[in-house]
Amino acid sequence: MKNWRQWTGLMMAAMMVFSLGACGKDSSTQENDQKKDEKQEDARQEATKDSKEEESGSGEASPSGETVDIAALINTDGLAVWYADKKGYFEELGLDTNITYFVNGTLENEALAAGEAQIGFNGFAGVYSLATGDYTMVADCDDGKGLAVYVKPDCPAAQVQGKYPNDPKVYGDAQSAKGLSFGATLGTIQQIMVDSYYANLGQKDYNIVSMDAASCYNALLSGEVDGAALTMNYCAAAEEAGMVCLGTYEGITGVGTGSTVIVPNDYLESNRDDIVLTLKAVYKALDEIQNDEQLEFDEGMEFFKEMGTEYSESEMQTEIDTRDLYSYEKLKDLEYGNHVVFSAVELIKLGLLEEGSAETVAESIRKDLLEEATGVEINMVIPKI
């Protein structure tokens, strides 16, 4: 890049000297000189264009040759990463990858912070990393639907409906929800659902019992807790078991959610092309899976079984029916960045992020890598903070 700028500067200086020397020449000579000047100006503009493309990374991405360490969750985004690896899409683009799968976003954040991964296909928990200012969001893979809080049918809150501020479909009011206990994984979207529920009710008397996703579900069924904040696969199982959906994430919080693909800023600076190529491989997989329901069903059943999270056929079908992956076509309608900033605002309200974090998150969102990887023009929507 530096050499381009030096060359451009010398060319401009040469043109100025040449132009001054041409003032006393005849019209024919001046005409020839003018043509030369025009050619030199065209060359200068082309060089400047190439230099800008080099700076923005808009040229053809090429792999660095370094191993790309990828972190992914055991969910539908992780399915796309796994499928891209299975089909050889990373290898086709010249990437050497090492992929680690995590049961929740908090553990994935820790792996990124420890330098064990450079690209994180995360969920809601990615907002915490973005709030530090040390990471950049480069993509969003799905609409995040399918998260909810469930209670037993005889729970007092399940007997009251129509009094919740954000959504009349959400069960419970301040009195019926008083003193209840919920299983949730602390620091994840599960906790946010429970905390937001009580914050909106204006009720402070409740208890969260920290446990992993599977334990939350089992504790709900056994009666160890009154309710549980569940991930999509356990939501489907809870429905089959006759549990009552207290409210979805969207209904409880009043905002949507989605995924976050995040990278450390220093890695983005040094390995931008590797990130673009990784996204290119994963979005090829996302597009194929989203547009072929049978493919998503078959590959999903295999993926979750391999990850130790076996789905029933009905649970897998519920996930397919509920959550949309961002195919190339669906990317066109994405309001990119919207849910991430809203989530940061919500976390600040709950005291889980410091004031000013939402601004930091908003400044940490980029769309250019996603556009380059997919060829789709992305509509970035950053809400007022």
Side-chain angles (χ1 to χ4, degrees):
M1 188 185 306
K2 183 177 179 182
N3 289 338
W4 276 117
R5 289 173 177 167
Q6 288 178 338
W7 183 90
T8 303
L10 290 171
M11 181 64 74
M12 291 179 67
M15 286 167 56
M16 291 174 65
V17 172
F18 187 84
S19 177
L20 289 170
C23 291
K25 295 181 181 179
D26 60 34
S27 59
S28 175
T29 304
Q30 288 184 22
E31 184 179 347
N32 291 334
D33 290 345
Q34 183 179 354
K35 290 180 179 180
K36 289 181 181 179
D37 286 349
E38 289 173 352
K39 289 181 180 180
Q40 289 171 335
E41 176 63 17
D42 289 342
R44 184 192 67 79
Q45 290 181 358
E46 188 65 29
T48 302
K49 177 183 175 182
D50 291 344
S51 179
K52 287 181 178 179
E53 287 182 351
E54 184 181 319
E55 290 178 14
S56 66
S58 59
E60 187 71 24
S62 58
S64 67
E66 301 172 11
T67 298
V68 180
D69 295 307
I70 299 171
L73 297 178
I74 303 174
N75 62 8
T76 44
D77 295 351
L79 166 61
V81 174
W82 174 85
Y83 180 75
D85 186 42
K86 176 183 176 180
K87 298 292 287 185
Y89 295 158
F90 296 119
E91 188 176 357
E92 286 176 5
L93 295 171
L95 294 173
D96 175 36
T97 58
N98 175 48
I99 306 170
T100 306
Y101 297 91
F102 295 86
V103 295
N104 63 57
T106 302
L107 294 175
E108 186 174 310
N109 282 343
E110 292 174 359
L112 286 163
E116 296 169 3
Q118 293 90 38
I119 304 177
F121 287 82
N122 210 325
F124 182 89
V127 177
Y128 288 102
S129 293
L130 293 173
T132 66
D134 296 327
Y135 296 83
T136 298
M137 177 176 170
V138 296
D140 192 348
C141 294
D142 69 72
D143 63 15
K145 292 181 179 178
L147 305 167
V149 177
Y150 278 80
V151 295
K152 297 180 75 68
D154 59 357
C155 176
Q159 315 311 314
V160 179
Q161 194 175 30
K163 295 186 177 181
Y164 190 76
N166 284 349
D167 186 346
K169 295 180 181 179
V170 176
Y171 285 90
D173 60 10
Q175 184 58 38
S176 63
K178 183 179 179 180
L180 300 181
S181 62
F182 292 83
T185 307
L186 294 182
T188 69
I189 195 168
Q190 294 168 264
Q191 180 188 355
I192 301 307
M193 285 194 286
V194 178
D195 284 337
S196 295
Y197 177 74
Y198 278 92
N200 287 325
L201 288 177
Q203 176 60 263
K204 296 182 179 180
D205 187 359
Y206 67 101
N207 182 43
I208 294 180
V209 182
S210 182
M211 55 184 77
D212 62 36
S215 298
C216 286
Y217 173 70
N218 291 328
L220 173 63
L221 295 188
S222 68
E224 182 182 341
V225 292
D226 298 303
L230 301 176
T231 52
M232 183 184 291
N233 54 321
Y234 292 108
C235 286
E239 289 281 351
E240 289 188 353
M243 300 294 106
V244 175
C245 178
L246 191 71
T248 64
Y249 175 83
E250 293 80 11
I252 289 172
T253 65
V255 298
T257 185
S259 64
T260 55
V261 183
I262 60 176
V263 298
N265 293 339
D266 55 354
Y267 187 73
L268 174 55
E269 184 177 346
S270 63
N271 291 71
R272 185 185 186 282
D273 281 5
D274 286 340
I275 299 169
V276 170
L277 293 172
T278 298
L279 293 177
K280 190 171 185 178
V282 172
Y283 275 87
K284 181 179 180 180
L286 284 166
D287 189 69
E288 291 180 10
I289 294 169
Q290 175 62 31
N291 289 314
D292 188 334
E293 187 173 305
Q294 189 61 51
L295 176 67
E296 182 174 0
F297 183 90
D298 294 339
E299 297 297 333
M301 292 294 287
E302 181 181 346
F303 167 69
F304 287 112
K305 183 177 182 179
E306 185 176 311
M307 294 296 130
T309 306
E310 293 194 36
Y311 274 24
S312 68
E313 291 189 356
S314 60
E315 289 169 351
M316 189 69 241
Q317 190 60 52
T318 297
E319 178 148 345
I320 293 171
D321 294 340
T322 303
R323 178 175 293 183
D324 278 337
L325 303 176
Y326 288 138
S327 61
Y328 300 131
E329 189 62 31
K330 289 188 178 295
L331 276 176
K332 297 176 182 178
D333 298 323
L334 171 64
E335 293 185 345
Y336 182 61
N338 191 22
H339 76 84
V340 183
V341 179
F342 267 124
S343 297
V345 172
E346 187 70 16
L347 289 170
I348 293 170
K349 290 179 183 177
L350 296 171
L352 296 175
L353 282 181
E354 296 179 356
E355 291 291 336
S357 295
E359 288 83 356
T360 302
V361 169
E363 293 168 359
S364 301
I365 302 171
R366 284 178 57 171
K367 68 173 185 174
D368 56 304
L369 289 88
L370 180 55
E371 289 182 326
E372 185 175 341
T374 63
V376 177
E377 185 176 350
I378 303 299
N379 177 32
M380 189 149 77
V381 177
I382 303 298
K384 292 182 179 180
I385 301 170

